[in-house]
Amino acid sequence: MNHLTIKNATCFLLALFMLTGLGAARSALAAANHEQQTAKLLTLINAARRSPLTTAAALGLNPAQVLADLPELTKVLTSGLPGLTKNDRLSLTAQLHTDEMFRNQYYEKDGAYGTTVRQRLANAGYQASLVGETLGLLSFVNLITPDQAVEHLFRNMFLDELNPDRTEPRYLLNPLISTVGLAMGSGKMELGGRDYNAYLTTCDFASDEITREHLATLERELVLLINQARVKPVKTETFLEINRAQCPDSTLPNPLGLPPMISEPILAETAQLHATEMINYDYVGPLSPNGTTLETRIAEAGLPGLSATEGIAWVATEDYPVPEQALQELLAQLLINDQGTGCKFPSLYHPLADTVGVSIDLAEMTDLSGERHGYYLATVDLVQKQEQTYPTLMGVVYRDANHDGLYTPGEGVADQPVIYYGAGRHLRSDLEGQINSRVKPGYYLIILFSSTEALQFIEKNVQNHNVWFDIDLNEQ
């Protein structure tokens, strides 16, 4: 079989079973438990991932032609990929969608009420940067056993995956896809005004799960990056390649920097509530559909402030399938998304803000072209609090792996002993390398310790504002 005729060959294979047969048509198949067949389908999928060209050859394709037609997949095709693990939650969503298609007599990836695969997986408690769905339909007149159906359905799936004219993302041969949910159903389907016996299969693919705990880690990392940007705006914007050459001086950040902000859980909740509203009502902006403002949301949360502002950024998950890689892009958008032609001052550079709350969510939203995609949505609320409290001496311990003079996600050193000499505080860095503690105004010596000796000394003058420090262990 010529590789360039895959699409036609696939259509012919479906039509063969839909329209031919010499015997009388059997009644519609009763719904059945196809657990054995989904296990077989998983075996076939994983064999194809581990050795794509071997599977292609077994299906009658020329491996050399496959490589020539898909040069962007050369490494995957020649080296293979690890097998996928079966996920029960994904399998449940796949089965529910299969049952719904039979029940409502349709064959589409979107649900009967418009739900997408990402929404269905989220409803089942599974979120990931990459998700996708592949459907298979085999209609027939003469009886085909479930095991035979699985082989034909897999064949069509894999041939379509290798089709050089394919416009949809590839899931079976995607190295970032790690898990799958499989479902199969059998019954009557109306096609072209006629009833047929049919097998349906739904394969829901996903990358590694992103849990709420993982998102909380990303939120702490983003707070750290925001504070670093306030303290080191010029170096941060240079690293992010932000060009403000056309902006007036009045909109440029203070080159001397601004005080860092403390993270406030209540403010993070207001950011989370607004993010949830934006996701549910499919919009992006500071003003709620009912007219509620940021100030109202903060006041209702019991956190009145003298002034407040909000930054919002969203980044496509398909562009940054590894969540940590999206953080720098989210930060860049937070610093520039207010600019436009008027070069408005970025929300993150609010000069009086001393408190911040951050929410990062995975969401499916409609872009400006009207298409729906998966996004990381970052909502950042900044406030100048009314009450006067002691300032916070805060910082990060890290190893500057890329030698750019800045902390980047993943460089933090956890459980590092630090002493605030003058305050009597013996502290240890958290999982992201952060350290913070309120102190009275005064001079403090920050001492970094190893197990046996002091490694670094940093002197800080703390007065009315929060103060930042960073310690690069590579500079010992």
Side-chain angles (χ1 to χ4, degrees), residues 119-400:
Q119 290 170 329
R120 293 192 292 271
L121 293 183
N123 290 338
Y126 192 99
Q127 295 200 90
S129 58
L130 296 180
V131 300
E133 186 170 71
T134 297
L135 302 179
L137 170 65
L138 188 63
S139 300
F140 59 94
V141 175
N142 286 345
L143 179 65
I144 300 172
T145 68
D147 285 341
Q148 290 174 322
V150 167
E151 294 175 0
H152 291 300
L153 290 165
F154 166 75
R155 175 187 177 89
N156 295 338
M157 180 192 306
F158 193 62
L159 291 178
D160 188 52
E161 190 89 2
L162 295 180
N163 185 352
D165 296 328
R166 179 184 174 100
T167 57
E168 294 186 7
R170 290 180 170 85
Y171 304 117
L172 195 152
L173 293 179
N174 188 329
L176 294 173
I177 295 294
S178 59
T179 188
V180 65
L182 303 169
M184 185 172 174
S186 55
K188 183 185 74 174
M189 284 291 287
E190 181 181 330
L191 300 166
R194 296 179 59 184
D195 289 342
Y196 292 93
N197 295 324
Y199 289 102
L200 268 180
T201 185
T202 302
C203 304
D204 287 349
F205 297 93
S207 54
D208 291 344
E209 182 177 11
I210 299 177
T211 63
R212 183 61 245 176
E213 291 75 16
H214 192 171
L215 291 174
T217 298
L218 298 177
E219 290 165 352
R220 293 193 297 271
E221 293 265 19
L222 186 55
V223 169
L224 199 160
L225 291 174
I226 289 170
N227 277 331
Q228 182 174 246
R230 286 173 61 87
V231 175
K232 302 179 178 180
V234 175
K235 181 173 285 190
T236 297
E237 294 198 1
T238 299
F239 173 77
L240 295 175
E241 299 180 350
I242 295 174
N243 184 1
R244 301 192 191 274
Q246 304 303 317
C247 298
D249 291 344
S250 61
T251 67
L252 298 179
N254 183 345
L256 299 179
L258 295 166
M261 301 175 291
I262 61 170
S263 182
E264 170 58 61
I266 296 178
L267 201 55
E269 290 180 10
T270 67
Q272 175 68 66
L273 289 172
H274 187 207
T276 300
E277 182 182 73
M278 288 190 286
I279 294 168
N280 290 341
Y281 290 93
D282 199 15
Y283 78 96
V284 175
L287 189 65
S288 299
N290 63 4
T292 302
T293 64
L294 170 64
E295 289 76 12
T296 301
R297 291 193 293 269
I298 292 174
E300 289 176 349
L303 191 69
L306 297 176
S307 61
T309 187
E310 185 173 63
I312 303 171
W314 54 336
V315 174
T317 57
E318 61 190 36
D319 294 334
Y320 298 91
V322 178
E324 285 72 15
Q325 296 173 349
L327 287 175
Q328 297 285 14
E329 180 62 24
L330 287 170
L331 177 65
Q333 286 199 22
L334 287 165
L335 291 173
I336 66 176
N337 66 0
D338 292 333
Q339 298 304 298
T341 57
C343 287
K344 294 180 181 179
F345 200 72
S347 302
L348 298 193
Y349 292 151
H350 187 310
L352 300 178
D354 53 24
T355 308
V356 64
V358 169
S359 172
I360 296 180
D361 297 87
L362 276 173
E364 185 172 85
M365 306 184 76
T366 305
D367 64 16
L368 297 178
S369 67
E371 296 185 355
R372 293 184 66 81
H373 298 281
Y375 289 94
Y376 302 103
L377 175 66
T379 309
V380 182
D381 290 350
L382 300 83
V383 170
Q384 178 193 8
K385 295 178 71 174
Q386 287 183 350
E387 68 270 21
Q388 297 295 318
T389 59
Y390 285 143
T392 297
L393 180 56
M394 65 177 74
V396 61
V397 181
Y398 71 110
R399 291 188 183 277
D400 190 6

Side-chain angles (χ1 to χ4, degrees), residues 440-456:
K440 294 180 179 180
Y443 288 89
Y444 295 92
L445 186 65
I446 303 166
I447 307 173
L448 177 74
F449 271 89
S450 71
S451 58
T452 58
E453 61 179 341
L455 300 176
Q456 288 191 37

